[in-house]
């Protein structure tokens, strides 16, 4: 009886392990596990499984983002970010590491001017960028000077200390150039956007005129002889997008909305189109209203905006987010 049982067990083992002779390593693994010398399959805990799943999802999102044209420049890549401007094709970025350029499709920003080069000229990343007639202009409030970036180097344009442009008790919040004039938005230490003033400056001699505008939170270069301004009214709690002449008079109000319903005005001169974030969605002005593009989560701390190629850039202190213009529901969320 006992011999018969042993025979049946041996036969069963032979059936289960048929083919082991062709895989000697499998035989050793089975015997090692039977003797307790080999661990079985590792079972992931719920936390580990969730972490792995999240990692895979993030990797997939980055891959999809790259294919769809989404891009993000982090502070870890270029340092703390001061602001950006665009000529339509190229985004210029000022950071604590220096002056960079980036175009849609680039894997990383290109360093044009290092912080060491800037420091040798007495400049820091506090420089405000603007586009002038021939390239990139820089305003450095601390040294009270205007510069131009040309062919890898800096050229001083004006020392405005002692000129009317040297306004005491204010800080320059933003700057742009239109038709050869600089337009500066200034704030005192106690001002909010409602207290901002706008000055028109001759960049050759620093002569300055204060425009009769109040409540301007954003300025944007527009068509020749015109500016775009986002103007708020604290009484009505309304913001309006207005077209100004170069003397600061309102020529036309394009759009009116509740406070903070509109931000990030950017004008694409090559296509003659206005873009903005309207109630949190990138949108294009179509003459009598806004056409919403594909929705994205905007960076709520962004303070610098530009159109680059076929997309929209939003810059904050710690990152630049770039999203392509796409029709709603055309991209996966």
């Amino acid at each position: 009886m006992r011999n018969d049982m042993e025979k049946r067990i041996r036969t069963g083992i032979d059936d289960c392990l048929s083919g082991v002779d062709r895989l000697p390593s499998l035989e050793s693994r089975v015997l090692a596990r039977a003797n307790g010398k080999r661990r079985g399959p590792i079972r992931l805990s719920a936390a580990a499984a969730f972490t792995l799943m999240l990692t895979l999802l993030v990797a997939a999102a980055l891959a999809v983002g790259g294919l769809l044209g989404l891009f993000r420049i982090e502070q870890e890549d270029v340092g703390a970010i001061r602001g950006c401007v665009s000529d339509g094709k190229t985004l210029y970025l000022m950071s604590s590491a220096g002056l960079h350029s980036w175009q849609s499709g680039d894997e990383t920003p290109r360093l044009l001017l290092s912080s060491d080069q800037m420091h040798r000229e007495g400049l820091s990343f506090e420089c405000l960028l603007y586009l002038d007639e021939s390239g990139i202009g820089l305003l450095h409030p601390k040294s009270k000077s205007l510069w131009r970036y040309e062919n890898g180097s800096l050229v001083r344009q004006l020392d405005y200390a002692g000129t009317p442009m040297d306004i005491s008790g204010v800080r320059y919040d933003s700057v742009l150039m239109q038709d050869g004039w600089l337009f500066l938005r200034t704030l005192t230490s106690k001002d909010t956007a409602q207290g901002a003033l706008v000055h028109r400056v001759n960049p050759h001699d620093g002569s300055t005129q204060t425009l009769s505008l109040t409540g301007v939170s954003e300025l944007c270069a527009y068509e020749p002889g015109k500016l775009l301004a986002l103007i708020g009214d604290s009484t009505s709690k309304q913001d309006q997008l207005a077209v100004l002449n170069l003397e600061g008079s309102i020529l036309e109000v394009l759009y009116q909305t509740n406070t903070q319903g509109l931000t990030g005005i950017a004008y694409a001169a090559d296509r003659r189109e206005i873009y903005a974030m309207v109630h949190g969605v990138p949108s294009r002005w179509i003459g009598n209203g806004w056409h919403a593009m594909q929705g994205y989560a905007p960076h709520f701390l962004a303070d610098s905006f530009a159109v680059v190629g076929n997309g929209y850039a939003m810059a904050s202190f710690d990152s630049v987010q770039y999203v392509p213009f796409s029709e709603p529901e055309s991209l996966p969320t």
Side-chain angles (χ1 to χ4, degrees):
M1 180 70 177
R2 184 172 178 274
N3 291 337
D4 184 58
M5 180 63 70
E6 289 179 355
K7 183 178 179 180
R8 291 169 62 185
I9 292 174
R10 185 174 297 279
T11 301
I13 292 175
D14 290 341
D15 290 341
C16 291
L17 298 181
S18 61
V20 169
D21 56 334
R22 292 187 297 273
L23 295 171
S25 60
L26 177 59
E27 179 181 8
S28 63
R29 291 201 300 269
V30 171
L31 294 176
R33 187 171 297 166
N35 293 327
K37 298 179 180 179
R38 182 180 179 88
R39 298 176 60 185
I42 297 175
R43 292 179 174 82
L44 294 177
S45 66
F50 177 78
T51 301
L52 178 60
M53 180 180 69
L54 185 61
T55 301
L56 293 174
L57 287 175
V58 169
L62 291 173
V64 171
L67 290 173
L68 299 177
L70 305 175
F71 193 78
R72 192 176 182 92
I73 301 171
E74 299 288 355
Q75 183 176 339
E76 290 80 3
D77 302 321
V78 296
I81 297 165
R82 182 67 178 91
C84 68
V85 295
S86 170
D87 61 8
K89 296 181 179 179
T90 303
L91 182 73
Y92 295 93
L93 181 71
M94 177 59 66
S95 80
S96 57
L99 177 66
H100 301 76
S101 68
W102 179 84
Q103 292 183 337
S104 177
D106 290 349
E107 292 185 3
T108 58
R110 175 191 173 199
L111 182 64
L112 300 176
L113 195 67
S114 72
S115 57
D116 288 341
Q117 290 175 282
M118 295 177 60
H119 289 158
R120 285 196 289 270
E121 299 290 351
L123 304 182
S124 69
F125 94 116
E126 295 175 358
C127 286
L128 298 173
L129 296 181
Y130 60 92
L131 293 176
D132 67 12
E133 296 91 340
S134 58
I136 301 299
L138 300 90
L139 185 155
H140 190 231
K142 189 173 182 179
S143 64
K144 299 181 180 181
S145 55
L146 296 177
W147 300 75
R148 179 181 294 131
Y149 171 77
E150 292 181 355
N151 301 320
S153 61
L154 286 167
V155 179
R156 189 188 296 267
Q157 301 295 302
L158 175 70
D159 289 318
Y160 64 81
T163 73
M165 184 181 170
D166 185 6
I167 306 170
S168 63
V170 303
R171 65 178 175 87
Y172 293 124
D173 184 67
S174 61
V175 58
L176 64 89
M177 178 172 277
Q178 181 71 348
D179 293 359
W181 295 94
L182 285 179
F183 291 85
L184 303 170
R185 181 173 175 269
T186 64
L187 292 164
T188 69
S189 59
K190 299 180 180 178
D191 280 337
T192 62
Q194 300 302 322
L197 293 176
V198 178
H199 311 273
R200 188 178 71 172
V201 176
N202 184 330
H204 302 291
D205 61 13
S207 58
T208 303
Q209 174 190 1
T210 303
L211 306 185
S212 57
L213 286 172
T214 58
V216 176
S217 58
E218 293 185 30
L219 273 175
C220 177
Y222 190 38
E223 297 171 348
K226 298 177 182 179
L227 302 171
L228 291 171
L230 185 60
I231 305 173
D233 186 333
S234 58
T235 303
S236 64
K237 305 295 183 184
Q238 295 283 304
D239 286 348
Q240 59 183 18
L241 177 61
V243 179
L244 312 176
N245 62 19
L246 300 188
E247 288 72 41
S249 299
I250 296 178
L251 301 177
E252 181 183 6
V253 175
L254 298 179
Y255 181 72
Q256 187 163 307
T257 183
N258 294 331
T259 300
Q260 298 183 347
L262 178 69
T263 189
I265 306 166
Y267 180 63
D270 57 343
R271 63 185 79 184
R272 301 182 66 182
E273 292 180 335
I274 303 170
Y275 293 86
M277 296 295 293
V278 182
H279 300 292
V281 178
S283 303
R284 175 172 55 88
W285 179 250
I286 54 174
N288 58 359
W290 295 97
H291 174 72
M293 312 299 285
Q294 177 74 23
Y296 299 91
H299 199 303
F300 71 97
L301 292 177
D303 57 8
S304 187
F305 308 85
V307 174
V308 190
N310 194 37
Y312 184 79
M314 298 169 278
S316 68
F317 184 79
D318 62 355
S319 67
V320 177
Q321 181 178 344
Y322 176 80
V323 295
F325 294 130
S326 305
E327 292 302 311
E329 310 305 326
S330 64
L331 301 178
T333 59

